[in-house]
Amino acid sequence: MPKIRGTSSARLTNLQKEFSGDLISTDNRVLFCGACEKTIGSEKRFQIVQHINTAKHKENLTSKLANKEPAGPLLLKPRRNKCKFVSTYQY
């Protein structure tokens, strides 16, 4: 009896979960590498493994993780508005 293939979106979601530590995401149509900022071939699992093992991906991944901003609210000091509005309109 032949295997019944799942939907492509389910397959992509499973691949995303499997490689979640490598900044891999999906929109249920393609896989996207967040470190390299490009799409990855997803026909076969080994294509993703090959991409993750490239030197360029490893370099991009370490630089993205090093530059990652801390999670939390961004606190800014309020600036005073130094611009004064002067009306020249006379009644």
Side-chain angles (χ1 to χ4, degrees):
M1 185 170 210
K3 275 184 157 179
I4 299 173
R5 293 187 70 159
T7 62
S8 62
S9 61
R11 185 174 48 84
L12 290 173
T13 304
N14 288 337
L15 289 170
Q16 176 191 5
K17 288 177 186 174
E18 182 178 351
F19 298 104
S20 63
D22 293 299
L23 297 178
I24 304 295
S25 62
T26 183
D27 64 351
N28 292 330
R29 287 184 281 150
V30 294
L31 279 179
F32 183 77
C33 176
C36 301
E37 298 181 357
K38 64 184 240 180
T39 59
I40 305 171
S42 60
E43 294 296 317
K44 302 282 183 183
R45 183 181 177 277
F46 79 88
Q47 292 175 316
I48 303 160
V49 173
Q50 282 181 337
H51 173 77
I52 289 173
N53 290 327
T54 60
K56 185 175 181 180
H57 174 79
K58 290 178 182 179
E59 181 182 328
N60 290 340
L61 183 63
T62 55
S63 67
K64 288 276 185 177
L65 293 177
N67 293 336
K68 190 174 183 180
E69 294 181 14
L74 181 62
L75 301 176
L76 299 174
K77 292 190 323 185
R79 289 186 351 180
R80 286 192 165 176
N81 190 0
K82 295 182 180 181
C83 180
K84 294 182 180 180
F85 178 73
V86 178
S87 175
T88 57
Y89 181 76
Q90 295 181 356
Y91 294 98

